[in-house]
PDB file of all heavy atoms in Angstrom:
ATOM      1  N   PHE A   1     141.184  81.489  55.109  1.00 89.00           N
ATOM      2  CA  PHE A   1     140.542  82.313  54.086  1.00 89.00           C
ATOM      3  C   PHE A   1     140.233  81.444  52.874  1.00 89.00           C
ATOM      4  O   PHE A   1     141.131  80.995  52.165  1.00 89.00           O
ATOM      5  CB  PHE A   1     141.450  83.492  53.708  1.00 89.00           C
ATOM      6  CG  PHE A   1     141.769  84.376  54.870  1.00 89.00           C
ATOM      7  CD1 PHE A   1     143.024  84.355  55.466  1.00 89.00           C
ATOM      8  CD2 PHE A   1     140.800  85.225  55.406  1.00 89.00           C
ATOM      9  CE1 PHE A   1     143.322  85.179  56.553  1.00 89.00           C
ATOM     10  CE2 PHE A   1     141.082  86.045  56.495  1.00 89.00           C
ATOM     11  CZ  PHE A   1     142.352  86.020  57.070  1.00 89.00           C
ATOM     12  N   LYS A   2     138.940  81.241  52.648  1.00 88.00           N
ATOM     13  CA  LYS A   2     138.500  80.302  51.615  1.00 88.00           C
ATOM     14  C   LYS A   2     138.454  80.928  50.231  1.00 88.00           C
ATOM     15  O   LYS A   2     138.592  82.139  50.077  1.00 88.00           O
ATOM     16  CB  LYS A   2     137.142  79.735  52.008  1.00 88.00           C
ATOM     17  CG  LYS A   2     137.196  78.955  53.305  1.00 88.00           C
ATOM     18  CD  LYS A   2     135.888  78.310  53.619  1.00 88.00           C
ATOM     19  CE  LYS A   2     135.982  77.493  54.919  1.00 88.00           C
ATOM     20  NZ  LYS A   2     134.691  76.876  55.275  1.00 88.00           N
ATOM     21  N   ALA A   3     138.241  80.064  49.247  1.00 87.00           N
ATOM     22  CA  ALA A   3     138.162  80.520  47.867  1.00 87.00           C
ATOM     23  C   ALA A   3     136.937  81.400  47.661  1.00 87.00           C
ATOM     24  O   ALA A   3     135.949  81.292  48.395  1.00 87.00           O
ATOM     25  CB  ALA A   3     138.107  79.322  46.918  1.00 87.00           C
ATOM     26  N   TYR A   4     137.033  82.263  46.664  1.00 89.00           N
ATOM     27  CA  TYR A   4     135.943  83.192  46.339  1.00 89.00           C
ATOM     28  C   TYR A   4     135.396  82.807  44.965  1.00 89.00           C
ATOM     29  O   TYR A   4     136.159  82.559  44.022  1.00 89.00           O
ATOM     30  CB  TYR A   4     136.492  84.609  46.318  1.00 89.00           C
ATOM     31  CG  TYR A   4     135.521  85.664  45.815  1.00 89.00           C
ATOM     32  CD1 TYR A   4     134.754  86.411  46.702  1.00 89.00           C
ATOM     33  CD2 TYR A   4     135.434  85.953  44.456  1.00 89.00           C
ATOM     34  CE1 TYR A   4     133.890  87.397  46.237  1.00 89.00           C
ATOM     35  CE2 TYR A   4     134.576  86.937  43.983  1.00 89.00           C
ATOM     36  CZ  TYR A   4     133.806  87.657  44.868  1.00 89.00           C
ATOM     37  OH  TYR A   4     132.950  88.632  44.413  1.00 89.00           O
ATOM     38  N   SER A   5     134.096  82.760  44.843  1.00 89.00           N
ATOM     39  CA  SER A   5     133.480  82.470  43.553  1.00 89.00           C
ATOM     40  C   SER A   5     132.147  83.209  43.452  1.00 89.00           C
ATOM     41  O   SER A   5     131.204  82.917  44.191  1.00 89.00           O
ATOM     42  CB  SER A   5     133.258  80.951  43.399  1.00 89.00           C
ATOM     43  OG  SER A   5     132.743  80.670  42.112  1.00 89.00           O
ATOM     44  N   LYS A   6     132.108  84.167  42.532  1.00 89.00           N
ATOM     45  CA  LYS A   6     130.899  84.964  42.352  1.00 89.00           C
ATOM     46  C   LYS A   6     130.914  85.634  40.986  1.00 89.00           C
ATOM     47  O   LYS A   6     131.939  86.170  40.566  1.00 89.00           O
ATOM     48  CB  LYS A   6     130.797  86.028  43.451  1.00 89.00           C
ATOM     49  CG  LYS A   6     129.485  86.810  43.447  1.00 89.00           C
ATOM     50  CD  LYS A   6     129.434  87.759  44.633  1.00 89.00           C
ATOM     51  CE  LYS A   6     128.114  88.534  44.635  1.00 89.00           C
ATOM     52  NZ  LYS A   6     128.037  89.486  45.774  1.00 89.00           N
ATOM     53  N   ASP A   7     129.773  85.549  40.291  1.00 83.00           N
ATOM     54  CA  ASP A   7     129.610  86.187  38.973  1.00 83.00           C
ATOM     55  C   ASP A   7     130.744  85.829  38.009  1.00 83.00           C
ATOM     56  O   ASP A   7     131.271  86.670  37.280  1.00 83.00           O
ATOM     57  CB  ASP A   7     129.547  87.713  39.113  1.00 83.00           C
ATOM     58  CG  ASP A   7     128.271  88.176  39.825  1.00 83.00           C
ATOM     59  OD1 ASP A   7     127.316  87.378  39.884  1.00 83.00           O
ATOM     60  OD2 ASP A   7     128.265  89.299  40.320  1.00 83.00           O
ATOM     61  N   GLY A   8     131.137  84.559  38.026  1.00 84.00           N
ATOM     62  CA  GLY A   8     132.167  84.104  37.097  1.00 84.00           C
ATOM     63  C   GLY A   8     133.592  84.415  37.521  1.00 84.00           C
ATOM     64  O   GLY A   8     134.545  84.120  36.809  1.00 84.00           O
ATOM     65  N   VAL A   9     133.730  85.024  38.699  1.00 89.00           N
ATOM     66  CA  VAL A   9     135.072  85.345  39.218  1.00 89.00           C
ATOM     67  C   VAL A   9     135.439  84.326  40.284  1.00 89.00           C
ATOM     68  O   VAL A   9     134.739  84.186  41.287  1.00 89.00           O
ATOM     69  CB  VAL A   9     135.120  86.761  39.820  1.00 89.00           C
ATOM     70  CG1 VAL A   9     136.516  87.057  40.367  1.00 89.00           C
ATOM     71  CG2 VAL A   9     134.723  87.802  38.785  1.00 89.00           C
ATOM     72  N   THR A  10     136.538  83.616  40.055  1.00 89.00           N
ATOM     73  CA  THR A  10     136.993  82.615  41.024  1.00 89.00           C
ATOM     74  C   THR A  10     138.405  82.945  41.475  1.00 89.00           C
ATOM     75  O   THR A  10     139.297  83.153  40.646  1.00 89.00           O
ATOM     76  CB  THR A  10     136.984  81.201  40.401  1.00 89.00           C
ATOM     77  OG1 THR A  10     135.652  80.902  39.952  1.00 89.00           O
ATOM     78  CG2 THR A  10     137.438  80.161  41.404  1.00 89.00           C
ATOM     79  N   ILE A  11     138.586  83.019  42.785  1.00 91.00           N
ATOM     80  CA  ILE A  11     139.901  83.283  43.368  1.00 91.00           C
ATOM     81  C   ILE A  11     140.197  82.142  44.337  1.00 91.00           C
ATOM     82  O   ILE A  11     139.402  81.857  45.224  1.00 91.00           O
ATOM     83  CB  ILE A  11     139.929  84.634  44.107  1.00 91.00           C
ATOM     84  CG1 ILE A  11     139.615  85.783  43.130  1.00 91.00           C
ATOM     85  CG2 ILE A  11     141.285  84.859  44.769  1.00 91.00           C
ATOM     86  CD1 ILE A  11     139.460  87.127  43.780  1.00 91.00           C
ATOM     87  N   PRO A  12     141.325  81.446  44.149  1.00 85.00           N
ATOM     88  CA  PRO A  12     141.636  80.294  45.019  1.00 85.00           C
ATOM     89  C   PRO A  12     141.849  80.711  46.467  1.00 85.00           C
ATOM     90  O   PRO A  12     142.111  81.882  46.760  1.00 85.00           O
ATOM     91  CB  PRO A  12     142.919  79.734  44.402  1.00 85.00           C
ATOM     92  CG  PRO A  12     143.526  80.883  43.656  1.00 85.00           C
ATOM     93  CD  PRO A  12     142.385  81.709  43.168  1.00 85.00           C
ATOM     94  N   GLU A  13     141.753  79.755  47.364  1.00 86.00           N
ATOM     95  CA  GLU A  13     141.934  80.066  48.791  1.00 86.00           C
ATOM     96  C   GLU A  13     143.377  80.466  49.078  1.00 86.00           C
ATOM     97  O   GLU A  13     144.297  80.136  48.337  1.00 86.00           O
ATOM     98  CB  GLU A  13     141.517  78.884  49.653  1.00 86.00           C
ATOM     99  CG  GLU A  13     142.412  77.681  49.565  1.00 86.00           C
ATOM    100  CD  GLU A  13     141.938  76.568  50.493  1.00 86.00           C
ATOM    101  OE1 GLU A  13     140.726  76.269  50.512  1.00 86.00           O
ATOM    102  OE2 GLU A  13     142.807  76.014  51.215  1.00 86.00           O
ATOM    103  N   TYR A  14     143.520  81.178  50.158  1.00 88.00           N
ATOM    104  CA  TYR A  14     144.827  81.727  50.551  1.00 88.00           C
ATOM    105  C   TYR A  14     145.822  80.593  50.793  1.00 88.00           C
ATOM    106  O   TYR A  14     145.538  79.622  51.472  1.00 88.00           O
ATOM    107  CB  TYR A  14     144.657  82.563  51.820  1.00 88.00           C
ATOM    108  CG  TYR A  14     145.956  82.970  52.476  1.00 88.00           C
ATOM    109  CD1 TYR A  14     146.736  83.973  51.927  1.00 88.00           C
ATOM    110  CD2 TYR A  14     146.384  82.339  53.638  1.00 88.00           C
ATOM    111  CE1 TYR A  14     147.931  84.357  52.530  1.00 88.00           C
ATOM    112  CE2 TYR A  14     147.572  82.719  54.259  1.00 88.00           C
ATOM    113  CZ  TYR A  14     148.344  83.725  53.694  1.00 88.00           C
ATOM    114  OH  TYR A  14     149.515  84.094  54.298  1.00 88.00           O
ATOM    115  N   ASN A  15     147.015  80.751  50.197  1.00 87.00           N
ATOM    116  CA  ASN A  15     148.078  79.777  50.390  1.00 87.00           C
ATOM    117  C   ASN A  15     149.368  80.544  50.702  1.00 87.00           C
ATOM    118  O   ASN A  15     150.035  81.081  49.816  1.00 87.00           O
ATOM    119  CB  ASN A  15     148.261  78.931  49.123  1.00 87.00           C
ATOM    120  CG  ASN A  15     149.263  77.796  49.328  1.00 87.00           C
ATOM    121  OD1 ASN A  15     150.306  77.969  49.931  1.00 87.00           O
ATOM    122  ND2 ASN A  15     148.930  76.633  48.786  1.00 87.00           N
ATOM    123  N   GLY A  16     149.691  80.598  51.990  1.00 87.00           N
ATOM    124  CA  GLY A  16     150.832  81.379  52.437  1.00 87.00           C
ATOM    125  C   GLY A  16     152.152  80.925  51.856  1.00 87.00           C
ATOM    126  O   GLY A  16     153.016  81.756  51.508  1.00 87.00           O
ATOM    127  N   GLU A  17     152.338  79.608  51.694  1.00 87.00           N
ATOM    128  CA  GLU A  17     153.604  79.089  51.180  1.00 87.00           C
ATOM    129  C   GLU A  17     153.843  79.528  49.740  1.00 87.00           C
ATOM    130  O   GLU A  17     154.946  79.899  49.362  1.00 87.00           O
ATOM    131  CB  GLU A  17     153.625  77.551  51.278  1.00 87.00           C
ATOM    132  CG  GLU A  17     153.794  77.019  52.685  1.00 87.00           C
ATOM    133  CD  GLU A  17     155.050  77.554  53.345  1.00 87.00           C
ATOM    134  OE1 GLU A  17     156.128  77.516  52.712  1.00 87.00           O
ATOM    135  OE2 GLU A  17     154.974  78.033  54.498  1.00 87.00           O
ATOM    136  N   LYS A  18     152.775  79.455  48.941  1.00 88.00           N
ATOM    137  CA  LYS A  18     152.899  79.874  47.544  1.00 88.00           C
ATOM    138  C   LYS A  18     153.270  81.345  47.442  1.00 88.00           C
ATOM    139  O   LYS A  18     154.082  81.747  46.602  1.00 88.00           O
ATOM    140  CB  LYS A  18     151.591  79.624  46.794  1.00 88.00           C
ATOM    141  CG  LYS A  18     151.408  78.212  46.296  1.00 88.00           C
ATOM    142  CD  LYS A  18     150.189  78.111  45.399  1.00 88.00           C
ATOM    143  CE  LYS A  18     150.056  76.701  44.848  1.00 88.00           C
ATOM    144  NZ  LYS A  18     148.870  76.579  43.951  1.00 88.00           N
ATOM    145  N   LEU A  19     152.647  82.159  48.285  1.00 89.00           N
ATOM    146  CA  LEU A  19     152.926  83.593  48.256  1.00 89.00           C
ATOM    147  C   LEU A  19     154.379  83.871  48.628  1.00 89.00           C
ATOM    148  O   LEU A  19     155.031  84.733  48.035  1.00 89.00           O
ATOM    149  CB  LEU A  19     151.996  84.346  49.206  1.00 89.00           C
ATOM    150  CG  LEU A  19     150.539  84.457  48.793  1.00 89.00           C
ATOM    151  CD1 LEU A  19     149.776  85.326  49.796  1.00 89.00           C
ATOM    152  CD2 LEU A  19     150.392  85.056  47.393  1.00 89.00           C
ATOM    153  N   LYS A  20     154.886  83.146  49.606  1.00 88.00           N
ATOM    154  CA  LYS A  20     156.287  83.335  50.013  1.00 88.00           C
ATOM    155  C   LYS A  20     157.229  82.951  48.874  1.00 88.00           C
ATOM    156  O   LYS A  20     158.209  83.647  48.590  1.00 88.00           O
ATOM    157  CB  LYS A  20     156.593  82.505  51.256  1.00 88.00           C
ATOM    158  CG  LYS A  20     155.990  83.083  52.535  1.00 88.00           C
ATOM    159  CD  LYS A  20     156.277  82.192  53.726  1.00 88.00           C
ATOM    160  CE  LYS A  20     155.594  82.722  54.989  1.00 88.00           C
ATOM    161  NZ  LYS A  20     155.790  81.818  56.143  1.00 88.00           N
ATOM    162  N   GLU A  21     156.941  81.833  48.241  1.00 87.00           N
ATOM    163  CA  GLU A  21     157.771  81.377  47.137  1.00 87.00           C
ATOM    164  C   GLU A  21     157.823  82.407  46.009  1.00 87.00           C
ATOM    165  O   GLU A  21     158.888  82.768  45.510  1.00 87.00           O
ATOM    166  CB  GLU A  21     157.229  80.054  46.573  1.00 87.00           C
ATOM    167  CG  GLU A  21     157.520  78.847  47.427  1.00 87.00           C
ATOM    168  CD  GLU A  21     156.956  77.581  46.814  1.00 87.00           C
ATOM    169  OE1 GLU A  21     156.423  77.656  45.677  1.00 87.00           O
ATOM    170  OE2 GLU A  21     157.046  76.514  47.452  1.00 87.00           O
ATOM    171  N   VAL A  22     156.641  82.867  45.613  1.00 90.00           N
ATOM    172  CA  VAL A  22     156.575  83.782  44.485  1.00 90.00           C
ATOM    173  C   VAL A  22     157.182  85.134  44.827  1.00 90.00           C
ATOM    174  O   VAL A  22     157.805  85.787  43.982  1.00 90.00           O
ATOM    175  CB  VAL A  22     155.123  83.924  43.971  1.00 90.00           C
ATOM    176  CG1 VAL A  22     154.322  84.903  44.817  1.00 90.00           C
ATOM    177  CG2 VAL A  22     155.083  84.367  42.510  1.00 90.00           C
ATOM    178  N   SER A  23     157.063  85.576  46.077  1.00 91.00           N
ATOM    179  CA  SER A  23     157.631  86.869  46.473  1.00 91.00           C
ATOM    180  C   SER A  23     159.158  86.808  46.479  1.00 91.00           C
ATOM    181  O   SER A  23     159.829  87.746  46.041  1.00 91.00           O
ATOM    182  CB  SER A  23     157.105  87.304  47.838  1.00 91.00           C
ATOM    183  OG  SER A  23     157.517  86.428  48.854  1.00 91.00           O
ATOM    184  N   VAL A  24     159.710  85.703  46.972  1.00 87.00           N
ATOM    185  CA  VAL A  24     161.169  85.551  46.978  1.00 87.00           C
ATOM    186  C   VAL A  24     161.695  85.467  45.540  1.00 87.00           C
ATOM    187  O   VAL A  24     162.686  86.106  45.178  1.00 87.00           O
ATOM    188  CB  VAL A  24     161.589  84.293  47.772  1.00 87.00           C
ATOM    189  CG1 VAL A  24     163.078  84.024  47.607  1.00 87.00           C
ATOM    190  CG2 VAL A  24     161.242  84.462  49.245  1.00 87.00           C
ATOM    191  N   GLY A  25     161.010  84.682  44.707  1.00 86.00           N
ATOM    192  CA  GLY A  25     161.412  84.546  43.309  1.00 86.00           C
ATOM    193  C   GLY A  25     161.362  85.866  42.570  1.00 86.00           C
ATOM    194  O   GLY A  25     162.265  86.197  41.787  1.00 86.00           O
ATOM    195  N   ALA A  26     160.311  86.636  42.825  1.00 88.00           N
ATOM    196  CA  ALA A  26     160.177  87.939  42.179  1.00 88.00           C
ATOM    197  C   ALA A  26     161.314  88.867  42.613  1.00 88.00           C
ATOM    198  O   ALA A  26     161.848  89.638  41.808  1.00 88.00           O
ATOM    199  CB  ALA A  26     158.832  88.575  42.523  1.00 88.00           C
ATOM    200  N   GLY A  27     161.698  88.772  43.882  1.00 87.00           N
ATOM    201  CA  GLY A  27     162.809  89.575  44.375  1.00 87.00           C
ATOM    202  C   GLY A  27     164.120  89.233  43.692  1.00 87.00           C
ATOM    203  O   GLY A  27     164.912  90.124  43.355  1.00 87.00           O
ATOM    204  N   VAL A  28     164.329  87.946  43.460  1.00 84.00           N
ATOM    205  CA  VAL A  28     165.526  87.480  42.746  1.00 84.00           C
ATOM    206  C   VAL A  28     165.570  88.085  41.338  1.00 84.00           C
ATOM    207  O   VAL A  28     166.593  88.605  40.884  1.00 84.00           O
ATOM    208  CB  VAL A  28     165.555  85.941  42.661  1.00 84.00           C
ATOM    209  CG1 VAL A  28     166.654  85.478  41.698  1.00 84.00           C
ATOM    210  CG2 VAL A  28     165.789  85.334  44.039  1.00 84.00           C
ATOM    211  N   LEU A  29     164.436  88.023  40.659  1.00 84.00           N
ATOM    212  CA  LEU A  29     164.379  88.533  39.290  1.00 84.00           C
ATOM    213  C   LEU A  29     164.546  90.041  39.235  1.00 84.00           C
ATOM    214  O   LEU A  29     165.251  90.574  38.374  1.00 84.00           O
ATOM    215  CB  LEU A  29     163.064  88.128  38.632  1.00 84.00           C
ATOM    216  CG  LEU A  29     162.831  86.623  38.468  1.00 84.00           C
ATOM    217  CD1 LEU A  29     161.501  86.365  37.775  1.00 84.00           C
ATOM    218  CD2 LEU A  29     163.966  85.987  37.681  1.00 84.00           C
ATOM    219  N   LEU A  30     163.899  90.731  40.153  1.00 84.00           N
ATOM    220  CA  LEU A  30     164.030  92.197  40.192  1.00 84.00           C
ATOM    221  C   LEU A  30     165.478  92.599  40.442  1.00 84.00           C
ATOM    222  O   LEU A  30     165.957  93.600  39.895  1.00 84.00           O
ATOM    223  CB  LEU A  30     163.133  92.786  41.287  1.00 84.00           C
ATOM    224  CG  LEU A  30     161.663  92.980  40.924  1.00 84.00           C
ATOM    225  CD1 LEU A  30     160.857  93.362  42.167  1.00 84.00           C
ATOM    226  CD2 LEU A  30     161.496  94.050  39.852  1.00 84.00           C
ATOM    227  N   GLY A  31     166.175  91.830  41.257  1.00 81.00           N
ATOM    228  CA  GLY A  31     167.574  92.129  41.540  1.00 81.00           C
ATOM    229  C   GLY A  31     168.470  91.978  40.335  1.00 81.00           C
ATOM    230  O   GLY A  31     169.537  92.596  40.265  1.00 81.00           O
ATOM    231  N   GLY A  32     168.053  91.145  39.380  1.00 77.00           N
ATOM    232  CA  GLY A  32     168.886  90.908  38.203  1.00 77.00           C
ATOM    233  C   GLY A  32     168.514  91.707  36.975  1.00 77.00           C
ATOM    234  O   GLY A  32     169.278  91.763  36.009  1.00 77.00           O
ATOM    235  N   ILE A  33     167.347  92.338  36.983  1.00 76.00           N
ATOM    236  CA  ILE A  33     166.875  93.040  35.797  1.00 76.00           C
ATOM    237  C   ILE A  33     167.806  94.180  35.392  1.00 76.00           C
ATOM    238  O   ILE A  33     168.018  94.441  34.207  1.00 76.00           O
ATOM    239  CB  ILE A  33     165.436  93.565  36.016  1.00 76.00           C
ATOM    240  CG1 ILE A  33     164.453  92.414  35.833  1.00 76.00           C
ATOM    241  CG2 ILE A  33     165.091  94.685  35.047  1.00 76.00           C
ATOM    242  CD1 ILE A  33     163.013  92.789  36.091  1.00 76.00           C
ATOM    243  N   GLY A  34     168.390  94.858  36.406  1.00 72.00           N
ATOM    244  CA  GLY A  34     169.261  95.992  36.107  1.00 72.00           C
ATOM    245  C   GLY A  34     170.423  95.630  35.206  1.00 72.00           C
ATOM    246  O   GLY A  34     170.867  96.430  34.386  1.00 72.00           O
ATOM    247  N   GLY A  35     170.927  94.413  35.318  1.00 67.00           N
ATOM    248  CA  GLY A  35     172.069  94.013  34.501  1.00 67.00           C
ATOM    249  C   GLY A  35     171.678  93.155  33.318  1.00 67.00           C
ATOM    250  O   GLY A  35     172.552  92.658  32.586  1.00 67.00           O
ATOM    251  N   ALA A  36     170.382  92.984  33.103  1.00 67.00           N
ATOM    252  CA  ALA A  36     169.913  92.131  32.023  1.00 67.00           C
ATOM    253  C   ALA A  36     169.612  92.949  30.770  1.00 67.00           C
ATOM    254  O   ALA A  36     169.543  94.163  30.800  1.00 67.00           O
ATOM    255  CB  ALA A  36     168.666  91.356  32.456  1.00 67.00           C
TER     256      ALA A  36
END
């Protein structure tokens, strides 16, 4: 899935590894918010 660029809107190409990293990290943070 390639990058998208149209009418000034640019979206980078799909990167599965980055998505996994950010989803795991977000889960860690969500788990700690209750006590923060």
Side-chain angles (χ1 to χ4, degrees):
F1 301 106
K2 298 185 178 178
Y4 172 95
S5 184
K6 187 176 181 181
D7 292 341
V9 179
T10 302
I11 299 173
E13 69 178 47
Y14 169 75
N15 186 318
E17 287 304 312
K18 277 188 177 180
L19 289 185
K20 286 177 184 176
E21 285 180 5
V22 81
S23 65
V24 172
V28 169
L29 297 181
L30 278 171
I33 282 177

